[in-house]
Amino acid sequence: MVLNKYIQKGNTIINDYNAVLARNTENAPNGNGLYSQTVAFSHYNNLSAQLPIEPNTGKLVAGGIKEQTEQCFKNIKAIIDSIDHVMSDVVRITVFVKNIKDVEAIDKVYKTFFPTYVPTRTIVAVDALPMDALLQIDALVSHGEGTIPNAPQAGDLIKLTNNTANAPTSLLSTQTVSFSHYNNLSAQLPIDPRTGRLVAGGVKEQAQQCLKNMKAILESIDVPFDDIVKVNIYLKNLSDIEAVNEVYTTFFPDSAIARATAYVPARTTVAVSALPIDALVQIEAVVSHGDGTPPQAVEDRHGIVIKANNTENAPKSSLSTQTVAFSHYNHISAQLPLDPKTGEMVAGGVKEQAGQCLKNINAILESIDHVMDDVVKVNIYLKNIVDIDAVDEVYTTFFPGGVPARSTIGVSALPKDALIQIDAVVSNAEGTPPKE
């Protein structure tokens, strides 16, 4: 267990704060010291993306997409079993697949692991995956007992699932799953919920429909659009980003209060090789949920605020906030290898670029009085998956203990023609209490 800096003073542990709790089991592939299989903080477990690796051999399982999908889920289940949880505690699944045509085969296996309850879900086809795997699966798991050392909570928080006819529905995913102080939305495709078909038009119309669907879901649970803390945009063509941004700025900020502070969520933009139904864009979101989920007491549920922060020591953008904190998590916008002083790409190759991305993340954390040890999950997006060994050399200098959970995917393109982009989820032990 790695203790958050806010709860350790000398040899004394203060039980009022949650701690970063990293765990591993021999029944799932190990991270070779680079990352932990699952990192719990407060009411969520953040799992490392699972490849179809047999834990006994460390090699890809024999067979095709069916066998690889089964192995990914077996690994996830083994991790969940090892921390005394069950598969129905999963709130979000992200499937990175090499060939979008494999989704039907993946779904057949998926149903066997989620026969009744289904979490929120995102599926994208990516350019490459580690070990030349056909797919990789990421998961977020509820953690009702929390992570206060020597002071477990009751563990009886419930998930709230919701679907509305005003957004596209699916038997394989729930539109939104709330747990404690967060709502996790399924990635929204540009589907008109009235027809169940792709909306007519180009990328602008498709981006607008994705955001309309998100708004409809949030309205159905009485949550305002400006409660979104993180947005992930998956684009078939990275060159479409300017057109998407034109639409994006008509949705953010959404309220007068948000406009007054120029609030926009943290954001990551990823170029993918293909999307379901041959869409040009797909958008997912993480949303604050100040009401919490029962049986949290009313006095513990209301008035928590979003804390957004930018620093001059990291690259700034009018379209995203560098870090958005809510309750016990900070969500960091994807960092490109840009020198904040010049706004230009750092000189050198992938090592130098990886170092700059991590320096930017560190600068953001320092600006909010946090440290790299507070990071619970890292997502690495690489232009060339073969660069991962070089990246790991740099990565270990920032995370020598290998604690954060991690996902690594190969993408077809990155903004600014970068070789690498990194985002992160960070623990926030102090929470975000109401302003005085």
Side-chain angles (χ1 to χ4, degrees):
M1 182 173 70
V2 177
L3 296 176
N4 189 288
K5 67 169 184 173
Y6 296 97
I7 58 105
Q8 187 172 11
K9 293 183 178 179
N11 294 320
T12 302
I13 296 173
I14 301 171
N15 286 335
D16 288 341
Y17 288 94
N18 288 287
V20 175
L21 179 57
R23 289 173 284 185
N24 293 285
T25 173
E26 293 180 355
N27 296 325
N30 66 61
N32 296 316
L34 287 168
Y35 53 86
S36 301
Q37 291 165 350
T38 179
V39 181
F41 187 80
S42 187
H43 289 144
Y44 281 94
N45 288 288
N46 301 267
L47 268 61
S48 288
Q50 292 302 298
L51 288 161
I53 297 171
E54 288 185 320
N56 293 335
T57 66
K59 297 179 180 179
L60 288 183
V61 67
I65 189 65
K66 176 179 179 292
E67 290 77 13
Q68 290 202 14
T69 305
E70 286 176 344
Q71 189 63 52
C72 288
F73 278 116
K74 284 179 182 177
N75 292 341
I76 288 171
K77 187 175 186 302
I79 295 167
I80 290 173
D81 287 347
S82 74
I83 56 173
D84 297 322
H85 280 258
V86 293
M87 288 295 281
S88 59
D89 289 335
V90 174
V91 296
R92 187 177 71 221
I93 286 286
T94 304
V95 179
F96 299 106
V97 62
K98 192 76 186 307
N99 188 340
I100 200 70
K101 293 179 181 178
D102 284 338
V103 170
E104 187 175 342
I106 291 169
D107 287 345
K108 289 180 181 178
V109 177
Y110 184 87
K111 292 175 186 176
T112 67
F113 285 87
F114 299 104
T116 51
Y117 159 77
V118 286
T120 63
R121 192 170 83 155
T122 298
I123 294 182
V124 295
V126 295
D127 195 61
L129 290 167
M131 299 180 69
D132 203 26
L134 298 178
L135 83 163
Q136 177 178 252
I137 303 178
D138 203 340
L140 180 69
V141 182
S142 61
H143 190 61
E145 63 269 35
T147 57
I148 300 174
N150 306 316
Q153 295 170 258
D156 57 355
L157 293 175
I158 63 171
K159 293 194 303 292
L160 296 177
T161 61
N162 192 75
N163 290 292
T164 173
N166 295 326
T169 58
S170 169
L171 295 175
L172 296 171
S173 64
T174 302
Q175 288 171 352
T176 180
V177 178
S178 303
F179 189 80
S180 189
H181 288 141
Y182 277 95
N183 289 292
N184 300 273
L185 267 61
S186 284
Q188 292 303 298
L189 287 161
I191 295 172
D192 184 332
R194 294 170 298 179
T195 65
R197 296 178 181 177
L198 198 66
V199 68
V203 72
K204 282 189 179 181
E205 290 78 12
Q206 290 197 18
Q208 185 176 55
Q209 188 64 53
C210 291
L211 291 162
K212 281 183 179 178
N213 292 341
M214 289 165 55
K215 196 163 193 176
I217 294 167
L218 294 183
E219 286 176 348
S220 75
I221 56 172
D222 297 321
V223 173
F225 206 63
D226 282 321
D227 279 359
I228 294 174
V229 296
K230 176 71 191 296
V231 169
N232 293 326
I233 300 174
Y234 299 99
L235 278 173
K236 179 71 169 61
N237 302 301
L238 191 59
S239 58
D240 284 338
I241 189 58
E242 290 185 12
V244 170
N245 286 340
E246 284 186 43
V247 177
Y248 190 83
T249 53
T250 66
F251 283 82
F252 296 103
D254 185 56
S255 66
I257 293 174
R259 285 192 291 273
T261 59
Y263 171 72
V264 285
R267 196 174 90 159
T268 296
T269 301
V270 180
V272 297
S273 59
L275 290 166
I277 66 169
D278 202 27
L280 298 175
V281 61
Q282 178 177 249
I283 305 176
E284 68 178 353
V286 179
V287 185
S288 61
H289 187 60
D291 290 344
T293 53
Q296 288 173 328
V298 172
E299 58 267 25
D300 295 331
R301 286 161 46 192
H302 295 290
I304 301 173
V305 298
I306 289 174
K307 287 192 174 181
N309 191 73
N310 290 294
T311 173
E312 299 292 336
N313 296 324
K316 296 175 75 172
S317 169
S318 61
L319 295 166
S320 63
T321 301
Q322 290 169 352
T323 177
V324 179
F326 186 81
S327 188
H328 288 142
Y329 278 95
N330 287 291
H331 300 266
I332 311 295
S333 287
Q335 293 301 300
L336 288 163
L338 301 177
D339 184 329
K341 294 178 182 177
T342 65
E344 300 295 326
M345 191 75 65
V346 69
V350 72
K351 281 188 180 181
E352 290 77 12
Q353 290 197 18
Q356 189 63 52
C357 292
L358 292 164
K359 283 178 184 176
N360 291 340
I361 289 173
N362 188 47
I364 293 168
L365 295 185
E366 287 179 345
S367 75
I368 55 171
D369 297 322
H370 278 258
V371 293
M372 293 295 271
D373 281 346
D374 293 334
V375 175
V376 295
K377 178 72 186 291
V378 173
N379 297 303
I380 300 174
Y381 306 94
L382 278 172
K383 180 72 169 60
N384 302 302
I385 199 74
V386 294
D387 284 339
I388 189 59
D389 288 342
V391 171
D392 284 344
E393 286 185 42
V394 179
Y395 185 87
T396 53
T397 66
F398 285 85
F399 299 106
V403 169
R406 197 172 87 164
S407 296
T408 302
I409 63 170
V411 297
S412 51
L414 287 168
K416 307 280 189 181
D417 203 26
L419 298 175
I420 185 170
Q421 175 179 260
I422 304 176
D423 69 14
V425 181
V426 183
S427 61
N428 187 46
E430 68 269 35
T432 55
K435 294 178 180 177
E436 294 181 359

